[in-house]
Amino acid sequence: MIITEQVGPFLFMFLTGILGLAVSIILFMSHNEKSLGNRLLALSVLSISYVLLINASFLTNLYQLLPFTYRVFSFITFCIGPFSYLYVRTVLRQEYKLSKSDILFFVPALLGLINRIPFLLLNREEQIETINLINQNLKMVVLEPDGLFPPGYLAIFRVTMTLGFVVAQFMLLIEWKKKLTSNHFYLEQNAEMIQWLKMYTNLLLLSVSLLFIQTVLQVSSALHFEQIIILTMGFTNLITSIMLFARPKILYGMVGWMQEKIPIISVKDYNAIGDAKTEFNQNRLSLTLLEGKDYKHRIETFFNEDKSYLEPGFTINNLSKTLNIPVYQLSSFINQEYQKSFVQFINDQRFEYLLTMISEDPAFKNYTIDYIGKKIGFNSRTSFIEFIKKRTGKTPSEFFKEA
């Protein structure tokens, strides 16, 4: 049951929370290129969605019916800062893996989990009684008197830590913008990516700053303004979801080799100097230029000599196994070097092969659309027709007639 005057706030929190949850699941599960940055973004959105849904739950009698669910996943609230910071850092530095020390960012989440032990050890009646007492005073929600740690301490620590992470990612953006500006390095997609990261960071900074002020005030007094905080967090989820659907290119990350001291657009502009073996063995989180040069050679040799990419259903996993390059590194390299996703890249190769067929195969005009589509890797007539229309603005028949 929901109090009548709380229907509006409940619906806003619930719907934006569910939207964020759906987006995070789609982003995490359907992105077959295994991009680290996109998975971190998914986890960041998931963490914010949890905050929205958990606050929506406070406006219902859910916890009276299922008391064991009260704050059971509250440790997730400690992950908003780490996930968002690591997402921004990973995208800017073009990292394909995390360092071992990054696990330390999530120690506070473990503390949050430990804090819930006393409440979980209570029987059902004691849990319901505790929840009813807390609901009588909103200040108690923030203080968390039912936890293992002294009331208020964990709440202050959580918002301070989260604000620190968001400020750190904000400073990282400033540093990276200066780097690109000082090197006079401009690419439109990177400018769009920086703009997106800045927008996402500013929304988080606003939400977490308000949360910090509200938490400090509520711990030391009876003042609180949850609705403003929930509004900003809800809009963070809403705008993030809209941006991901409206501008899918932001999922491809930065293009070029931005992680180097002097950025370059392509590895073809790089001349290896020094000990190649040493450079390959560097303990880096992103690809080295020498690795990039090697991957480029392997990929282009494959597409020149092996036509298995024309088989329907050819995926990045197939290419990864053939070239013996991990999927996450292969995906990162294609994004950086060719400024495309794998799907765009493979479709470009198929289109080039189609042009070769048109110009070199004397029997081409006798082939059916179904045959041509399957010949270059499309499972169905419909997907092939859509591909040609998107690429040329014409139907296959019109395009073949004019080619």
Side-chain angles (χ1 to χ4, degrees):
M1 177 172 283
I2 307 170
I3 303 173
T4 304
E5 56 268 26
Q6 297 291 351
V7 169
F10 170 81
L11 287 176
F12 179 76
M13 289 185 287
F14 180 76
L15 293 177
T16 53
I18 289 295
L19 175 63
L21 181 63
V23 167
S24 62
I25 291 174
I26 292 171
L27 193 57
F28 194 91
M29 300 298 293
S30 67
H31 200 268
N32 59 10
E33 296 182 30
K34 300 181 180 179
S35 166
L36 175 61
N38 291 338
R39 293 189 169 190
L40 288 169
L41 174 60
L43 291 170
S44 177
V45 173
L46 177 65
S47 302
I48 296 171
S49 300
Y50 171 78
V51 172
L52 290 164
L53 292 173
I54 207 70
N55 276 276
S57 299
F58 277 119
L59 303 181
T60 70
N61 61 349
L62 171 67
Y63 297 129
Q64 280 76 16
L65 296 174
L66 302 170
F68 66 90
T69 64
Y70 181 69
R71 294 184 185 271
V72 67
F73 297 116
S74 60
F75 65 91
I76 294 176
T77 59
F78 289 87
C79 298
I80 295 175
F83 281 140
S84 62
Y85 170 77
L86 289 172
Y87 163 62
V88 172
R89 192 194 76 186
T90 296
V91 171
L92 291 176
R93 296 180 182 175
Q94 297 172 297
E95 297 172 346
Y96 57 77
K97 66 178 180 179
L98 299 176
S99 68
K100 292 179 181 179
S101 60
D102 289 334
I103 193 68
L104 297 176
F105 292 162
F106 299 95
V107 170
L110 179 61
L111 295 177
L113 187 61
I114 293 172
N115 186 58
R116 303 308 307 153
I117 293 176
F119 179 81
L120 295 174
L121 293 177
L122 298 176
N123 60 44
R124 177 183 170 83
E125 290 71 25
E126 290 173 326
Q127 288 178 340
I128 293 175
E129 183 180 354
T130 301
I131 292 169
N132 289 335
L133 287 173
I134 291 173
N135 284 343
Q136 292 172 14
N137 184 353
L138 285 176
K139 182 175 181 177
M140 292 297 104
V141 176
V142 174
L143 293 179
E144 298 183 54
D146 53 307
L148 181 66
F149 298 103
Y153 279 70
L154 203 61
I156 294 292
F157 172 68
R158 177 170 51 224
V159 294
T160 303
M161 181 203 73
T162 304
L163 183 59
F165 272 110
V166 179
V167 169
Q169 76 185 54
F170 184 81
M171 297 305 294
L172 198 59
L173 273 167
I174 293 175
E175 173 194 335
W176 219 253
K177 190 174 181 180
K178 285 181 180 178
K179 176 182 178 180
L180 298 183
T181 303
S182 63
N183 285 281
H184 306 290
F185 196 94
Y186 179 84
L187 288 174
E188 186 176 347
Q189 186 173 320
N190 286 345
E192 186 178 350
M193 192 72 213
I194 293 287
Q195 184 181 22
W196 150 247
L197 293 176
K198 186 177 179 181
M199 180 190 298
Y200 184 68
T201 300
N202 284 336
L203 285 169
L204 275 178
L205 188 59
L206 176 61
S207 299
V208 177
S209 296
L210 289 172
L211 182 60
F212 177 81
I213 296 170
Q214 185 264 337
T215 302
V216 171
L217 289 176
Q218 198 158 339
V219 167
S220 59
S221 65
L223 296 174
H224 52 84
F225 45 97
E226 288 89 349
Q227 290 189 357
I228 297 176
I229 297 165
I230 295 305
L231 188 66
T232 56
M233 284 199 165
F235 272 115
T236 299
N237 256 13
L238 187 60
I239 293 173
T240 298
S241 302
I242 292 172
M243 286 291 290
L244 292 177
F245 284 110
R247 297 184 180 179
K249 281 188 176 182
I250 61 180
L251 296 175
Y252 303 159
M254 302 281 280
V255 300
W257 296 77
M258 303 296 102
Q259 76 273 33
E260 299 301 320
K261 290 182 180 179
I262 301 178
I264 60 174
I265 295 177
S266 171
V267 293
K268 68 183 180 183
D269 302 321
Y270 169 68
N271 293 316
I273 300 173
D275 186 353
K277 187 175 181 180
T278 300
E279 187 164 353
F280 269 112
N281 290 334
Q282 284 179 339
N283 185 24
R284 291 174 50 133
L285 306 179
S286 57
L287 294 173
T288 68
L289 283 167
L290 196 58
E291 286 173 323
K293 225 171 169 57
D294 175 59
Y295 290 176
K296 186 179 180 72
H297 173 72
R298 284 200 248 173
I299 289 172
E300 294 183 355
T301 299
F302 168 80
F303 282 102
N304 286 331
E305 299 177 357
D306 191 325
K307 302 305 177 187
S308 59
Y309 68 92
L310 297 173
E311 296 173 6
F314 185 85
T315 67
I316 193 170
N317 290 306
N318 299 129
L319 185 59
S320 170
K321 290 177 182 177
T322 302
L323 301 181
N324 195 28
I325 301 174
V327 171
Y328 55 88
Q329 289 190 15
L330 186 58
S331 172
S332 179
F333 173 77
I334 291 173
N335 293 163
Q336 288 180 228
E337 180 65 16
Y338 299 103
Q339 304 176 25
K340 301 168 185 174
S341 68
F342 173 75
V343 173
Q344 288 177 317
F345 181 73
I346 200 73
N347 282 342
D348 283 349
Q349 304 304 315
R350 287 169 171 167
F351 188 71
E352 288 298 319
Y353 186 80
L354 174 62
L355 295 179
T356 301
M357 284 180 65
I358 293 173
S359 62
E360 297 181 3
D361 190 343
F364 182 83
K365 61 183 179 180
N366 299 320
Y367 297 151
T368 65
I369 290 177
D370 286 345
Y371 174 82
I372 297 170
K374 289 180 180 178
K375 184 72 176 177
I376 67 169
F378 288 88
N379 282 309
S380 69
R381 177 189 179 93
T382 302
S383 61
F384 175 61
I385 292 174
E386 289 177 355
F387 166 70
I388 295 297
K389 282 184 176 179
K390 188 174 181 180
R391 182 57 64 98
T392 67
K394 303 179 178 71
T395 64
S397 298
E398 292 170 339
F399 175 65
F400 297 152
K401 186 176 181 180
E402 296 176 8

